[in-house]
Amino acid sequence: MLDKVPQCCSELGELEIVMLCKPSELSIPDMKTAYQVGWKAPVDQRKALASHLHMRQVLEEQGIQVIDYSEYLSATELKLNDQLINRCYVRDLAGIVRKQVITGRPAISMRLPEYDQAHQVMQSWFNPDQFFTPNGTKGATLEFGDVSILNRDAIVINVGKRTSIGAIESIKQAIFDAGFSEIAVIDLPRHDDTMHLDFNFNVMAANLVVAKSFLRFFPLRVICREHTRYAMFEDYMRYHGYEVHALSSYDTIPDINFLNINPETILISQQANTARVLDHPKLKQKKVIKVDVTELEKGGGGIRCMTLPLRRREIS
């Protein structure tokens, strides 16, 4: 069991504990194979592992406790896990909502083994009352790349390509019981470059979010305990004290799929156009740490996808 309870009340609090998983021991040998398994390009396992280890080193240099869940698997489980090509994208597996761990459910069946194995490991880390497994309807899917904690009151969830509305119904009471008052649901296009919420949207500062410019045209369905209302995306962000840094030009994964280390610092891909991403007066003092994760991004996920915060210190 971990020596600290899970806790995440925001996307900005100082990151104290993060879960990773090293990439698969398998390479993706050619473009035909990459296409068949849903990847963007062939991958050299040695380069992928080197990138992962460097990212882990950078996180540890920031004083963050890094945990690789695969190191807690039995030899038999690890033999399978080592061959799961998507296992490094741990963000989808679960989420921490205040002090509650909520488990996910993948939209594609090839990821089921890693979800089940990771959940078993996480159950051994935390008390049973800190662990919530949704009892959703058949076919309900929940990937936490679609979930963002906006502030202490509101969570934003996308019900696009990978997460279903049935899953939100199955977890909404747990979210309310954790102390949140609103769940803002957006339904983004079902394309590869809009697959998860964090391909389109991220919190950048205490009063600023970054989003692809087309999100301004989308309404949100805001689910509260006693009622439901609707709000346009930018109006809802303003209501919660956020200005929207809208990007009309972007490279989806490296530019938007970054990780907040603390309110002043982000960990972002070497491939990101930071001049474009940080082109806002409120970001002039932002500290940027770049890491080369190019080989890992070929699987269709970025730095946020590869990191699952287990504990963030609350912002006072």
PDB file of all heavy atoms in Angstrom, residues 17-47:
ATOM      1  N   ILE A  17       2.963  12.292  -6.838  1.00  0.00           N
ATOM      2  CA  ILE A  17       3.094  10.881  -7.201  1.00  0.00           C
ATOM      3  C   ILE A  17       2.439  10.671  -8.568  1.00  0.00           C
ATOM      4  O   ILE A  17       1.316  11.136  -8.808  1.00  0.00           O
ATOM      5  CB  ILE A  17       2.417   9.946  -6.178  1.00  0.00           C
ATOM      6  CG1 ILE A  17       2.909  10.223  -4.760  1.00  0.00           C
ATOM      7  CG2 ILE A  17       2.681   8.480  -6.535  1.00  0.00           C
ATOM      8  CD1 ILE A  17       2.183   9.416  -3.687  1.00  0.00           C
ATOM      9  N   VAL A  18       3.128   9.983  -9.456  1.00  0.00           N
ATOM     10  CA  VAL A  18       2.580   9.715 -10.788  1.00  0.00           C
ATOM     11  C   VAL A  18       2.849   8.265 -11.167  1.00  0.00           C
ATOM     12  O   VAL A  18       3.893   7.703 -10.833  1.00  0.00           O
ATOM     13  CB  VAL A  18       3.185  10.674 -11.846  1.00  0.00           C
ATOM     14  CG1 VAL A  18       4.669  10.429 -12.053  1.00  0.00           C
ATOM     15  CG2 VAL A  18       2.430  10.593 -13.164  1.00  0.00           C
ATOM     16  N   MET A  19       1.880   7.662 -11.841  1.00  0.00           N
ATOM     17  CA  MET A  19       2.036   6.289 -12.309  1.00  0.00           C
ATOM     18  C   MET A  19       2.386   6.277 -13.791  1.00  0.00           C
ATOM     19  O   MET A  19       1.798   7.018 -14.582  1.00  0.00           O
ATOM     20  CB  MET A  19       0.741   5.497 -12.090  1.00  0.00           C
ATOM     21  CG  MET A  19       0.890   3.998 -12.361  1.00  0.00           C
ATOM     22  SD  MET A  19      -0.629   3.074 -11.984  1.00  0.00           S
ATOM     23  CE  MET A  19      -1.454   3.138 -13.591  1.00  0.00           C
ATOM     24  N   LEU A  20       3.362   5.453 -14.146  1.00  0.00           N
ATOM     25  CA  LEU A  20       3.765   5.240 -15.530  1.00  0.00           C
ATOM     26  C   LEU A  20       3.748   3.741 -15.816  1.00  0.00           C
ATOM     27  O   LEU A  20       3.541   2.922 -14.931  1.00  0.00           O
ATOM     28  CB  LEU A  20       5.179   5.759 -15.787  1.00  0.00           C
ATOM     29  CG  LEU A  20       5.575   7.181 -15.409  1.00  0.00           C
ATOM     30  CD1 LEU A  20       7.033   7.415 -15.780  1.00  0.00           C
ATOM     31  CD2 LEU A  20       4.688   8.182 -16.092  1.00  0.00           C
ATOM     32  N   CYS A  21       4.022   3.393 -17.060  1.00  0.00           N
ATOM     33  CA  CYS A  21       4.338   2.011 -17.417  1.00  0.00           C
ATOM     34  C   CYS A  21       5.280   2.061 -18.617  1.00  0.00           C
ATOM     35  O   CYS A  21       5.009   2.772 -19.592  1.00  0.00           O
ATOM     36  CB  CYS A  21       3.087   1.206 -17.772  1.00  0.00           C
ATOM     37  SG  CYS A  21       3.425  -0.549 -18.067  1.00  0.00           S
ATOM     38  N   LYS A  22       6.380   1.345 -18.516  1.00  0.00           N
ATOM     39  CA  LYS A  22       7.338   1.355 -19.619  1.00  0.00           C
ATOM     40  C   LYS A  22       6.686   0.750 -20.862  1.00  0.00           C
ATOM     41  O   LYS A  22       5.754  -0.045 -20.779  1.00  0.00           O
ATOM     42  CB  LYS A  22       8.609   0.601 -19.248  1.00  0.00           C
ATOM     43  CG  LYS A  22       8.440  -0.833 -18.815  1.00  0.00           C
ATOM     44  CD  LYS A  22       9.795  -1.415 -18.435  1.00  0.00           C
ATOM     45  CE  LYS A  22       9.674  -2.814 -17.854  1.00  0.00           C
ATOM     46  NZ  LYS A  22       9.038  -2.811 -16.507  1.00  0.00           N
ATOM     47  N   PRO A  23       7.163   1.106 -22.045  1.00  0.00           N
ATOM     48  CA  PRO A  23       6.553   0.606 -23.288  1.00  0.00           C
ATOM     49  C   PRO A  23       6.743  -0.890 -23.451  1.00  0.00           C
ATOM     50  O   PRO A  23       7.595  -1.514 -22.816  1.00  0.00           O
ATOM     51  CB  PRO A  23       7.284   1.390 -24.381  1.00  0.00           C
ATOM     52  CG  PRO A  23       8.557   1.836 -23.756  1.00  0.00           C
ATOM     53  CD  PRO A  23       8.265   2.049 -22.306  1.00  0.00           C
ATOM     54  N   SER A  24       5.930  -1.450 -24.318  1.00  0.00           N
ATOM     55  CA  SER A  24       5.984  -2.878 -24.619  1.00  0.00           C
ATOM     56  C   SER A  24       7.372  -3.297 -25.084  1.00  0.00           C
ATOM     57  O   SER A  24       8.146  -2.491 -25.624  1.00  0.00           O
ATOM     58  CB  SER A  24       4.962  -3.197 -25.718  1.00  0.00           C
ATOM     59  OG  SER A  24       5.125  -4.502 -26.206  1.00  0.00           O
ATOM     60  N   GLU A  25       7.687  -4.571 -24.900  1.00  0.00           N
ATOM     61  CA  GLU A  25       8.960  -5.107 -25.397  1.00  0.00           C
ATOM     62  C   GLU A  25       8.905  -5.407 -26.891  1.00  0.00           C
ATOM     63  O   GLU A  25       9.918  -5.797 -27.482  1.00  0.00           O
ATOM     64  CB  GLU A  25       9.331  -6.371 -24.618  1.00  0.00           C
ATOM     65  CG  GLU A  25       9.683  -6.093 -23.167  1.00  0.00           C
ATOM     66  CD  GLU A  25      10.256  -7.302 -22.459  1.00  0.00           C
ATOM     67  OE1 GLU A  25      10.213  -8.407 -23.041  1.00  0.00           O
ATOM     68  OE2 GLU A  25      10.746  -7.143 -21.321  1.00  0.00           O
ATOM     69  N   LEU A  26       7.731  -5.203 -27.500  1.00  0.00           N
ATOM     70  CA  LEU A  26       7.590  -5.471 -28.932  1.00  0.00           C
ATOM     71  C   LEU A  26       7.788  -4.202 -29.743  1.00  0.00           C
ATOM     72  O   LEU A  26       7.287  -3.134 -29.380  1.00  0.00           O
ATOM     73  CB  LEU A  26       6.205  -6.047 -29.237  1.00  0.00           C
ATOM     74  CG  LEU A  26       5.810  -7.346 -28.524  1.00  0.00           C
ATOM     75  CD1 LEU A  26       4.402  -7.756 -28.958  1.00  0.00           C
ATOM     76  CD2 LEU A  26       6.811  -8.452 -28.820  1.00  0.00           C
ATOM     77  N   SER A  27       8.477  -4.309 -30.851  1.00  0.00           N
ATOM     78  CA  SER A  27       8.550  -3.226 -31.827  1.00  0.00           C
ATOM     79  C   SER A  27       7.398  -3.377 -32.817  1.00  0.00           C
ATOM     80  O   SER A  27       6.849  -4.466 -32.994  1.00  0.00           O
ATOM     81  CB  SER A  27       9.881  -3.269 -32.582  1.00  0.00           C
ATOM     82  OG  SER A  27      10.971  -2.998 -31.732  1.00  0.00           O
ATOM     83  N   ILE A  28       7.032  -2.279 -33.448  1.00  0.00           N
ATOM     84  CA  ILE A  28       6.063  -2.312 -34.552  1.00  0.00           C
ATOM     85  C   ILE A  28       6.896  -2.249 -35.825  1.00  0.00           C
ATOM     86  O   ILE A  28       7.480  -1.209 -36.142  1.00  0.00           O
ATOM     87  CB  ILE A  28       5.079  -1.132 -34.476  1.00  0.00           C
ATOM     88  CG1 ILE A  28       4.422  -1.052 -33.098  1.00  0.00           C
ATOM     89  CG2 ILE A  28       4.035  -1.247 -35.576  1.00  0.00           C
ATOM     90  CD1 ILE A  28       3.580  -2.224 -32.725  1.00  0.00           C
ATOM     91  N   PRO A  29       7.006  -3.348 -36.590  1.00  0.00           N
ATOM     92  CA  PRO A  29       8.064  -3.460 -37.596  1.00  0.00           C
ATOM     93  C   PRO A  29       7.880  -2.642 -38.873  1.00  0.00           C
ATOM     94  O   PRO A  29       8.870  -2.264 -39.501  1.00  0.00           O
ATOM     95  CB  PRO A  29       8.072  -4.955 -37.918  1.00  0.00           C
ATOM     96  CG  PRO A  29       6.669  -5.406 -37.631  1.00  0.00           C
ATOM     97  CD  PRO A  29       6.220  -4.588 -36.462  1.00  0.00           C
ATOM     98  N   ASP A  30       6.630  -2.373 -39.260  1.00  0.00           N
ATOM     99  CA  ASP A  30       6.415  -1.703 -40.554  1.00  0.00           C
ATOM    100  C   ASP A  30       5.087  -0.967 -40.536  1.00  0.00           C
ATOM    101  O   ASP A  30       4.280  -1.106 -39.617  1.00  0.00           O
ATOM    102  CB  ASP A  30       6.446  -2.724 -41.701  1.00  0.00           C
ATOM    103  CG  ASP A  30       5.551  -3.919 -41.449  1.00  0.00           C
ATOM    104  OD1 ASP A  30       4.353  -3.733 -41.149  1.00  0.00           O
ATOM    105  OD2 ASP A  30       6.049  -5.073 -41.520  1.00  0.00           O
ATOM    106  N   MET A  31       4.856  -0.183 -41.593  1.00  0.00           N
ATOM    107  CA  MET A  31       3.667   0.653 -41.657  1.00  0.00           C
ATOM    108  C   MET A  31       2.390  -0.175 -41.755  1.00  0.00           C
ATOM    109  O   MET A  31       1.355   0.191 -41.183  1.00  0.00           O
ATOM    110  CB  MET A  31       3.769   1.609 -42.859  1.00  0.00           C
ATOM    111  CG  MET A  31       2.744   2.734 -42.835  1.00  0.00           C
ATOM    112  SD  MET A  31       2.935   3.794 -41.376  1.00  0.00           S
ATOM    113  CE  MET A  31       1.221   4.082 -40.945  1.00  0.00           C
ATOM    114  N   LYS A  32       2.452  -1.308 -42.451  1.00  0.00           N
ATOM    115  CA  LYS A  32       1.267  -2.164 -42.579  1.00  0.00           C
ATOM    116  C   LYS A  32       0.840  -2.668 -41.204  1.00  0.00           C
ATOM    117  O   LYS A  32      -0.352  -2.633 -40.859  1.00  0.00           O
ATOM    118  CB  LYS A  32       1.563  -3.342 -43.504  1.00  0.00           C
ATOM    119  CG  LYS A  32       0.370  -4.264 -43.706  1.00  0.00           C
ATOM    120  CD  LYS A  32       0.705  -5.387 -44.675  1.00  0.00           C
ATOM    121  CE  LYS A  32      -0.497  -6.311 -44.878  1.00  0.00           C
ATOM    122  NZ  LYS A  32      -0.185  -7.421 -45.818  1.00  0.00           N
ATOM    123  N   THR A  33       1.805  -3.118 -40.403  1.00  0.00           N
ATOM    124  CA  THR A  33       1.487  -3.588 -39.060  1.00  0.00           C
ATOM    125  C   THR A  33       0.970  -2.442 -38.193  1.00  0.00           C
ATOM    126  O   THR A  33      -0.006  -2.601 -37.438  1.00  0.00           O
ATOM    127  CB  THR A  33       2.720  -4.221 -38.400  1.00  0.00           C
ATOM    128  OG1 THR A  33       3.209  -5.271 -39.229  1.00  0.00           O
ATOM    129  CG2 THR A  33       2.376  -4.773 -37.024  1.00  0.00           C
ATOM    130  N   ALA A  34       1.615  -1.290 -38.286  1.00  0.00           N
ATOM    131  CA  ALA A  34       1.176  -0.122 -37.513  1.00  0.00           C
ATOM    132  C   ALA A  34      -0.284   0.196 -37.816  1.00  0.00           C
ATOM    133  O   ALA A  34      -1.086   0.450 -36.901  1.00  0.00           O
ATOM    134  CB  ALA A  34       2.066   1.076 -37.823  1.00  0.00           C
ATOM    135  N   TYR A  35      -0.655   0.180 -39.071  1.00  0.00           N
ATOM    136  CA  TYR A  35      -2.042   0.473 -39.461  1.00  0.00           C
ATOM    137  C   TYR A  35      -3.001  -0.544 -38.854  1.00  0.00           C
ATOM    138  O   TYR A  35      -4.067  -0.187 -38.343  1.00  0.00           O
ATOM    139  CB  TYR A  35      -2.152   0.484 -40.983  1.00  0.00           C
ATOM    140  CG  TYR A  35      -3.573   0.585 -41.484  1.00  0.00           C
ATOM    141  CD1 TYR A  35      -4.245   1.813 -41.471  1.00  0.00           C
ATOM    142  CD2 TYR A  35      -4.254  -0.540 -41.957  1.00  0.00           C
ATOM    143  CE1 TYR A  35      -5.554   1.903 -41.918  1.00  0.00           C
ATOM    144  CE2 TYR A  35      -5.558  -0.446 -42.406  1.00  0.00           C
ATOM    145  CZ  TYR A  35      -6.205   0.774 -42.379  1.00  0.00           C
ATOM    146  OH  TYR A  35      -7.508   0.858 -42.815  1.00  0.00           O
ATOM    147  N   GLN A  36      -2.623  -1.822 -38.894  1.00  0.00           N
ATOM    148  CA  GLN A  36      -3.514  -2.875 -38.410  1.00  0.00           C
ATOM    149  C   GLN A  36      -3.730  -2.800 -36.902  1.00  0.00           C
ATOM    150  O   GLN A  36      -4.785  -3.217 -36.403  1.00  0.00           O
ATOM    151  CB  GLN A  36      -2.950  -4.254 -38.783  1.00  0.00           C
ATOM    152  CG  GLN A  36      -2.895  -4.527 -40.285  1.00  0.00           C
ATOM    153  CD  GLN A  36      -4.271  -4.621 -40.932  1.00  0.00           C
ATOM    154  OE1 GLN A  36      -5.279  -4.696 -40.262  1.00  0.00           O
ATOM    155  NE2 GLN A  36      -4.297  -4.617 -42.263  1.00  0.00           N
ATOM    156  N   VAL A  37      -2.756  -2.302 -36.161  1.00  0.00           N
ATOM    157  CA  VAL A  37      -2.907  -2.222 -34.704  1.00  0.00           C
ATOM    158  C   VAL A  37      -3.288  -0.822 -34.231  1.00  0.00           C
ATOM    159  O   VAL A  37      -3.338  -0.552 -33.028  1.00  0.00           O
ATOM    160  CB  VAL A  37      -1.625  -2.698 -33.972  1.00  0.00           C
ATOM    161  CG1 VAL A  37      -1.319  -4.135 -34.330  1.00  0.00           C
ATOM    162  CG2 VAL A  37      -0.423  -1.786 -34.278  1.00  0.00           C
ATOM    163  N   GLY A  38      -3.568   0.076 -35.168  1.00  0.00           N
ATOM    164  CA  GLY A  38      -4.053   1.399 -34.815  1.00  0.00           C
ATOM    165  C   GLY A  38      -2.984   2.405 -34.448  1.00  0.00           C
ATOM    166  O   GLY A  38      -3.280   3.415 -33.792  1.00  0.00           O
ATOM    167  N   TRP A  39      -1.734   2.166 -34.879  1.00  0.00           N
ATOM    168  CA  TRP A  39      -0.645   3.115 -34.612  1.00  0.00           C
ATOM    169  C   TRP A  39      -0.358   3.944 -35.853  1.00  0.00           C
ATOM    170  O   TRP A  39      -0.740   3.576 -36.968  1.00  0.00           O
ATOM    171  CB  TRP A  39       0.606   2.356 -34.139  1.00  0.00           C
ATOM    172  CG  TRP A  39       0.493   1.901 -32.714  1.00  0.00           C
ATOM    173  CD1 TRP A  39      -0.581   1.291 -32.136  1.00  0.00           C
ATOM    174  CD2 TRP A  39       1.468   2.043 -31.692  1.00  0.00           C
ATOM    175  NE1 TRP A  39      -0.335   1.031 -30.820  1.00  0.00           N
ATOM    176  CE2 TRP A  39       0.923   1.478 -30.506  1.00  0.00           C
ATOM    177  CE3 TRP A  39       2.747   2.558 -31.661  1.00  0.00           C
ATOM    178  CZ2 TRP A  39       1.610   1.448 -29.307  1.00  0.00           C
ATOM    179  CZ3 TRP A  39       3.451   2.521 -30.455  1.00  0.00           C
ATOM    180  CH2 TRP A  39       2.881   1.975 -29.295  1.00  0.00           C
ATOM    181  N   LYS A  40       0.338   5.042 -35.655  1.00  0.00           N
ATOM    182  CA  LYS A  40       0.568   5.979 -36.762  1.00  0.00           C
ATOM    183  C   LYS A  40       1.790   5.635 -37.589  1.00  0.00           C
ATOM    184  O   LYS A  40       1.898   6.063 -38.739  1.00  0.00           O
ATOM    185  CB  LYS A  40       0.716   7.398 -36.216  1.00  0.00           C
ATOM    186  CG  LYS A  40      -0.507   7.935 -35.501  1.00  0.00           C
ATOM    187  CD  LYS A  40      -0.385   9.406 -35.233  1.00  0.00           C
ATOM    188  CE  LYS A  40       0.794   9.731 -34.342  1.00  0.00           C
ATOM    189  NZ  LYS A  40       0.905  11.180 -34.053  1.00  0.00           N
ATOM    190  N   ALA A  41       2.742   4.887 -37.001  1.00  0.00           N
ATOM    191  CA  ALA A  41       4.002   4.608 -37.690  1.00  0.00           C
ATOM    192  C   ALA A  41       4.706   3.447 -36.997  1.00  0.00           C
ATOM    193  O   ALA A  41       4.395   3.108 -35.853  1.00  0.00           O
ATOM    194  CB  ALA A  41       4.895   5.857 -37.670  1.00  0.00           C
ATOM    195  N   PRO A  42       5.660   2.825 -37.670  1.00  0.00           N
ATOM    196  CA  PRO A  42       6.474   1.780 -37.029  1.00  0.00           C
ATOM    197  C   PRO A  42       7.221   2.335 -35.819  1.00  0.00           C
ATOM    198  O   PRO A  42       7.541   3.526 -35.767  1.00  0.00           O
ATOM    199  CB  PRO A  42       7.443   1.357 -38.133  1.00  0.00           C
ATOM    200  CG  PRO A  42       6.791   1.765 -39.405  1.00  0.00           C
ATOM    201  CD  PRO A  42       6.020   3.012 -39.088  1.00  0.00           C
ATOM    202  N   VAL A  43       7.517   1.460 -34.855  1.00  0.00           N
ATOM    203  CA  VAL A  43       8.163   1.883 -33.615  1.00  0.00           C
ATOM    204  C   VAL A  43       9.329   0.957 -33.304  1.00  0.00           C
ATOM    205  O   VAL A  43       9.201  -0.269 -33.346  1.00  0.00           O
ATOM    206  CB  VAL A  43       7.156   1.865 -32.444  1.00  0.00           C
ATOM    207  CG1 VAL A  43       7.871   2.103 -31.123  1.00  0.00           C
ATOM    208  CG2 VAL A  43       6.079   2.920 -32.647  1.00  0.00           C
ATOM    209  N   ASP A  44      10.463   1.565 -32.978  1.00  0.00           N
ATOM    210  CA  ASP A  44      11.638   0.840 -32.530  1.00  0.00           C
ATOM    211  C   ASP A  44      11.577   0.767 -31.002  1.00  0.00           C
ATOM    212  O   ASP A  44      11.655   1.791 -30.325  1.00  0.00           O
ATOM    213  CB  ASP A  44      12.905   1.572 -32.986  1.00  0.00           C
ATOM    214  CG  ASP A  44      14.188   0.827 -32.640  1.00  0.00           C
ATOM    215  OD1 ASP A  44      14.264   0.245 -31.539  1.00  0.00           O
ATOM    216  OD2 ASP A  44      15.120   0.859 -33.454  1.00  0.00           O
ATOM    217  N   GLN A  45      11.444  -0.440 -30.458  1.00  0.00           N
ATOM    218  CA  GLN A  45      11.267  -0.608 -29.027  1.00  0.00           C
ATOM    219  C   GLN A  45      12.423  -0.017 -28.233  1.00  0.00           C
ATOM    220  O   GLN A  45      12.218   0.561 -27.157  1.00  0.00           O
ATOM    221  CB  GLN A  45      11.088  -2.098 -28.688  1.00  0.00           C
ATOM    222  CG  GLN A  45      10.638  -2.370 -27.265  1.00  0.00           C
ATOM    223  CD  GLN A  45      11.769  -2.428 -26.259  1.00  0.00           C
ATOM    224  OE1 GLN A  45      12.924  -2.653 -26.619  1.00  0.00           O
ATOM    225  NE2 GLN A  45      11.449  -2.191 -24.984  1.00  0.00           N
ATOM    226  N   ARG A  46      13.634  -0.132 -28.736  1.00  0.00           N
ATOM    227  CA  ARG A  46      14.782   0.397 -28.008  1.00  0.00           C
ATOM    228  C   ARG A  46      14.701   1.914 -27.868  1.00  0.00           C
ATOM    229  O   ARG A  46      14.997   2.478 -26.807  1.00  0.00           O
ATOM    230  CB  ARG A  46      16.075  -0.010 -28.714  1.00  0.00           C
ATOM    231  CG  ARG A  46      16.363  -1.513 -28.705  1.00  0.00           C
ATOM    232  CD  ARG A  46      17.499  -1.847 -29.637  1.00  0.00           C
ATOM    233  NE  ARG A  46      17.198  -1.447 -31.025  1.00  0.00           N
ATOM    234  CZ  ARG A  46      18.059  -1.536 -32.032  1.00  0.00           C
ATOM    235  NH1 ARG A  46      19.294  -1.977 -31.813  1.00  0.00           N
ATOM    236  NH2 ARG A  46      17.712  -1.159 -33.255  1.00  0.00           N
ATOM    237  N   LYS A  47      14.301   2.589 -28.947  1.00  0.00           N
ATOM    238  CA  LYS A  47      14.159   4.039 -28.894  1.00  0.00           C
ATOM    239  C   LYS A  47      12.998   4.443 -27.979  1.00  0.00           C
ATOM    240  O   LYS A  47      13.095   5.419 -27.225  1.00  0.00           O
ATOM    241  CB  LYS A  47      13.927   4.598 -30.301  1.00  0.00           C
ATOM    242  CG  LYS A  47      15.120   4.477 -31.235  1.00  0.00           C
ATOM    243  CD  LYS A  47      14.777   5.060 -32.597  1.00  0.00           C
ATOM    244  CE  LYS A  47      15.954   4.945 -33.559  1.00  0.00           C
ATOM    245  NZ  LYS A  47      15.621   5.490 -34.908  1.00  0.00           N
TER     246      LYS A  47
END
